Amino acid sequence: MAVWLEQGDIVLFQGDSITDAGRVRENGNDLGKGYALMTAAQFSAKYPEKQVKFLNRGISGNRVPDLQGRWQEDCLDLKPNLVSIYIGINDTWRRFDSNDGTSTEKFKEGYRQLLDQTASTGAKLLLIEPFVLPVPEDRKLWREDLDPKITAVRELAREFGARLLCLDGLFAQASTQADSAFWAPDGVHPSPAGHALIANAWLKAVGAAE
């Protein structure tokens, strides 16, 4: 597979806390401490001649409606060549911790609007499906709400011709090699190893892995 990024491209990582990963908001070039930083570091070390610029605009706690509210400023105005979107777990989580979930229909329609706006600029799209692991045990109850949203992300990837990272299966597979808590201590937020798993899958998706 040829590398999907061209000379001087701008890559934007968008999403919630998993993408945010403690980035310094006041520094527009800070990539946080998670998969976005790992991805950018590995890609840049391997392809320094491409001079690709990586930006992170993930914000902890965000859901699809939050992205809709800031998409112009935090995506379109940045003129990215590739937009990587990782959203969805909070749209499920809020149902269980505050009875304020996002229906699958609202989730999918809002997500589609984001993709419509972005695709119209000619930017490439990479969608990262949400995942959850059964730690603690109550996370198993989330599957009822999250699984339809994962399906929606997959359907949108097909609809828009986007590349897709199937993280739910990836983390389930990884959990056969080490306990789920090794990859995501609370079932949601990846450990350093979990972030590395995402970064490696991301690089593979754009043709930049071995």
Side-chain angles (χ1 to χ4, degrees):
M1 183 193 301
V3 178
W4 208 31
L5 296 174
E6 306 294 337
Q7 176 79 25
D9 273 357
I10 297 173
V11 174
L12 174 65
F13 295 103
Q14 262 292 1
D16 52 35
S17 59
I18 301 171
T19 301
D20 184 334
R23 69 182 178 89
V24 178
R25 307 276 174 81
E26 295 73 28
N27 178 359
N29 293 315
D30 189 83
L31 293 170
K33 301 176 180 67
Y35 78 90
L37 175 65
M38 295 178 183
T39 299
Q42 291 185 62
F43 185 93
S44 299
K46 188 172 182 180
Y47 301 100
E49 74 283 357
K50 287 187 177 290
Q51 294 292 294
V52 171
K53 182 176 184 179
F54 293 87
L55 300 172
N56 184 350
R57 293 296 184 272
I59 294 182
S60 181
N62 267 196
R63 298 186 276 178
V64 162
D66 298 303
L67 293 190
Q68 290 180 276
R70 62 187 183 84
W71 205 244
Q72 184 65 47
E73 177 182 3
D74 282 351
C75 178
L76 305 180
D77 288 351
L78 300 174
K79 295 180 169 45
N81 304 99
L82 188 155
V83 180
S84 171
I85 306 174
Y86 184 1
I87 199 72
I89 192 62
N90 291 315
D91 296 85
T92 285
W93 200 339
R94 295 294 84 81
R95 170 182 165 182
F96 293 91
D97 71 357
S98 56
N99 197 30
D100 183 31
T102 308
S103 70
T104 299
E105 293 73 23
K106 184 177 179 181
F107 173 82
K108 188 174 184 181
E109 184 51 40
Y111 208 140
R112 180 183 282 114
Q113 289 177 13
L114 297 175
L115 298 178
D116 271 331
Q117 294 177 58
T118 311
S120 69
T121 70
K124 301 166 183 172
L125 298 168
L126 193 158
L127 309 188
I128 304 177
E129 70 182 27
F131 77 92
V132 68
L133 292 175
V135 282
E137 282 285 313
D138 67 354
R139 301 292 192 251
K140 292 180 179 179
L141 301 174
W142 295 16
R143 305 276 3 164
E144 173 192 349
D145 190 274
L146 187 64
D147 284 352
K149 291 180 171 65
I150 292 172
T151 298
V153 174
R154 294 173 180 177
E155 290 172 349
L156 288 169
R158 184 162 55 246
E159 179 181 335
F160 283 86
R163 296 196 180 179
L164 174 69
L165 291 196
C166 295
L167 285 198
D168 198 50
L170 184 67
F171 273 84
Q173 182 182 46
S175 294
T176 67
Q177 300 172 296
D179 289 344
S180 293
F182 175 80
W183 302 106
D186 65 353
V188 172
H189 296 94
S191 63
H195 275 287
L197 203 65
I198 299 171
N200 290 339
W202 199 102
L203 291 166
K204 184 176 181 180
V206 301
E210 295 297 339

